[in-house]
Amino acid sequence: MDATTPGPLAPDLLDREDVKRALAEHDFAAAFALIKKWGGLSQNRIAAACQLTPGKVSTIISGQQQVTSFDVICRIADGLRIPGHMVGLADRPWENRPQPDSPDPPPSTASRSSDGASWRPSATVDLAADLTRSDLVMDRRTAARTVAGAAVFGAALLDSLESWLKPPPAAAPTVRRGQIGRREVQELEATAKAFRAWDHKYGGGLRRKAVVGQLNEVASHLDEQQAPAVEQALFRVMAQLGGVAATMAWDCGLHKQAQNYYLLALRAAHAGGDACFGANVLAGMARQMLYTDRPQDALELVRLAQKGARTSASPRVRAMLHTREAWAYAAMGRTAAFERATQEAADVLAESPVADDPYWIAYFNEAELAGVTGGRLLDMARTDPLEHAEAAAASIRDALTTRGAEASRSHALDLIGLAECYFLLGDVSGAVEHTHRAVDAAASTQSGRVRTQLGQLYPYTVGRSTSSTVSEARARLREVLSI
């Protein structure tokens, strides 16, 4: 492969935290397995790119052979176009050479529409139709290549959302007249609710195309002239389906597509007059920014949510927004602000009458607050374990006790977080025990986020090969992360 040949990996693959950790640790068994899974490369393709035999790649993935040769590491970096710093090398010669021109994928409809100007309901309908049609015809690998670009952030994102604070313009009349009644809308609402419940419990993208198809159908109904009350209700259903599609796309590793659906959901909530759900969408967008290490953008999104829904947000929604705010402060290392926002969340939640809360926020209870708080303390414990690790473990234990295994995805994330706390505290036996429990829990969900978080544990098991129990835990982690 010469210096101008493009690499075989999709651009977002090398941004994955589990891939970056595997490469930094020279754990090419995990790296090759992850490249097979998320990059769609076969062992033969990896072997050809890296000038290795397929048999050699097979023994590396199985853990029978480690890569220690400097020459082989260079061939892997050059063949797969992995920047030198990711594997402990100097910049490779091809990193500073211009690449041949290649056509960029067409800009997503959501990006084009959100840049500007119009938040008209008809534009939102067009956006939904275009986004869902293009998504439905793409298979998983094509989608990964097409929407692998990074999510929009900074001023380009935040300025485009200012119209969220303005009343929606009046809808232009259409020629066709719709025949949807309240009963059909209720059926669509029930479907959206069922999809949300599935996603919240299990995660993953097993039903993503079904959600996208339902979104497309709602867009087709809105393309006809419906009664005003029916139209508003349909926009609210579109917003809820868009939010589910966003989290499912995110769980599949399609971060740009997830943002596109978040933007659609926000615009649909705006058109439907549902400021409370719009605030929830902005909180989801903030969480995406936090996962991509952009806490200031996340904080701005939370403030936008709080401002736009200050008169309509239910107590649980306000408490949830406080936790997103606290999360941003934790990522910035602002411990006092984190503690203040977390206490505000607890105070609001304690006063929350259940009857006033919409169904989609019912998950946010004391157990969820404990889990989120423990996760943020764990974030801070990675840089200061003596100060925060014990508190993180205590909070996560509270979440585990309260919500139990039926929470599936959240239960798995709690176990992963608690295992990492024990590693940070130096309790290897506790860490190994909870690593095994986390692996077992991960088997019950298809969530990509669960597997990404599970990858956080792997580096703790490297270099502890003298312990048979740690080696066993490492082998189980490798097995799950390679699926």
Side-chain angles (χ1 to χ4, degrees):
M1 183 177 288
D2 63 36
T4 61
T5 304
L9 304 181
D12 67 333
L13 182 64
L14 294 177
D15 291 332
R16 291 180 58 88
E17 290 301 319
D18 47 6
V19 173
K20 288 194 287 188
R21 281 192 299 272
L23 293 172
E25 295 283 341
H26 285 186
D27 183 359
F28 291 102
F32 284 171
L34 291 165
I35 287 168
K36 283 180 62 182
K37 178 179 180 181
W38 298 110
L41 271 65
S42 65
Q43 287 186 192
N44 288 344
R45 182 87 186 278
I46 294 171
C50 302
Q51 302 176 47
L52 300 171
T53 65
K56 175 84 166 180
V57 172
S58 179
T59 58
I60 291 171
I61 291 176
S62 68
Q64 299 175 41
Q65 187 170 357
Q66 294 185 334
V67 177
T68 57
S69 165
F70 179 81
D71 178 62
V72 173
I73 294 172
C74 289
R75 294 210 307 267
I76 291 171
D78 293 340
L80 297 175
R81 285 297 189 262
I82 298 168
H85 72 273
M86 297 188 73
V87 288
L89 303 175
D91 288 352
R92 309 304 298 154
W94 49 265
E95 290 187 59
N96 299 315
R97 298 189 187 182
Q99 298 294 315
D101 292 336
S102 59
D104 293 328
S108 70
T109 308
S111 298
R112 292 198 306 269
S113 300
S114 65
D115 286 343
S118 174
W119 279 50
R120 288 179 294 106
S122 60
T124 299
V125 174
D126 291 342
L127 167 60
D130 290 348
L131 181 58
T132 55
R133 271 198 304 267
S134 63
D135 199 356
L136 286 168
V137 300
M138 287 190 295
D139 61 25
R140 175 67 174 80
R141 190 174 299 180
T142 304
R145 290 198 303 268
T146 303
V147 298
V152 180
F153 53 82
L157 172 65
L158 298 169
D159 284 353
S160 73
L161 301 179
E162 285 297 317
S163 294
W164 150 252
L165 299 175
K166 302 174 184 177
T174 57
V175 176
R176 290 173 291 175
R177 182 168 298 279
Q179 301 297 320
I180 294 296
R182 185 59 197 164
R183 183 178 62 82
E184 289 86 354
V185 172
Q186 288 174 341
E187 290 173 354
L188 290 168
E189 289 171 339
T191 301
K193 186 174 182 178
F195 279 132
R196 178 172 289 275
W198 170 272
D199 176 60
H200 181 70
K201 184 171 183 179
Y202 298 109
L206 290 179
R207 297 191 180 183
R208 194 178 80 83
K209 291 288 188 178
V211 175
V212 173
Q214 194 73 72
L215 254 176
N216 185 268
E217 181 179 345
V218 172
S220 70
H221 291 316
L222 279 166
D223 198 33
E224 301 171 346
Q225 187 174 357
Q226 306 290 349
V230 170
E231 180 179 88
Q232 185 177 64
L234 284 172
F235 271 119
R236 291 185 175 210
V237 172
M238 177 182 282
Q240 292 173 26
L241 288 169
V244 175
T247 57
M248 286 184 167
W250 184 5
D251 244 1
C252 294
L254 304 174
H255 295 287
K256 178 59 178 172
Q257 195 78 328
Q259 189 180 66
N260 288 343
Y261 280 115
Y262 275 133
L263 291 167
L264 171 63
L266 183 64
R267 290 160 64 92
H270 185 256
D274 193 348
C276 189
F277 189 76
N280 183 62
V281 174
L282 286 165
M285 297 175 72
R287 184 175 60 171
Q288 187 180 28
M289 291 294 107
L290 288 161
Y291 270 93
T292 53
D293 297 322
R294 301 198 66 87
Q296 188 60 52
D297 284 357
L299 193 57
E300 292 293 332
L301 288 165
V302 172
R303 288 170 177 167
L304 192 63
Q306 291 169 327
K307 185 174 183 180
R310 57 175 171 256
T311 61
S312 61
S314 70
R316 285 185 193 270
V317 174
R318 287 189 283 116
M320 179 270 293
L321 291 174
H322 281 309
T323 65
R324 294 288 194 272
E325 182 184 0
W327 192 337
Y329 289 135
M332 296 174 181
R334 295 178 55 184
T335 305
F338 161 77
E339 292 172 349
R340 184 257 305 161
T342 299
Q343 187 58 53
E344 287 173 342
D347 291 344
V348 173
L349 190 60
E351 301 170 2
S352 172
V354 175
D356 290 348
D357 290 307
Y359 79 88
W360 44 261
I361 196 63
Y363 78 93
F364 193 87
N365 52 23
E366 287 78 6
E368 180 69 12
L369 176 59
V372 172
T373 301
R376 307 300 62 81
L377 287 165
L378 175 56
D379 290 342
M380 294 188 288
R382 293 186 184 115
T383 55
D384 191 352
L386 292 177
E387 181 69 22
H388 300 294
E390 187 55 61
S395 190
I396 295 172
R397 280 194 293 266
D398 286 345
L400 279 166
T401 301
T402 308
R403 59 184 166 199
E406 64 275 7
S408 191
R409 177 170 61 186
S410 296
H411 181 70
L413 291 170
D414 288 340
L415 288 170
I416 294 166
L418 189 54
E420 186 172 1
C421 286
Y422 284 129
F423 274 122
L424 289 169
L425 290 166
D427 183 352
V428 176
S429 62
V432 168
E433 175 192 345
H434 284 84
T435 296
H436 285 297
R437 291 180 62 191
V439 170
D440 292 338
S444 69
T445 174
Q446 296 296 316
S447 171
R449 267 179 282 166
V450 167
R451 278 157 179 75
T452 296
Q453 292 298 103
L454 203 60
Q456 294 267 42
L457 298 180
Y458 194 84
Y460 292 102
T461 67
V462 175
R464 300 174 185 264
S465 56
T466 54
S467 167
S468 60
T469 57
V470 173
S471 296
E472 184 180 345
R474 181 168 63 243
R476 290 200 70 197
L477 285 171
R478 178 180 292 162
E479 181 181 357
V480 171
L481 294 173
S482 300
I483 295 174

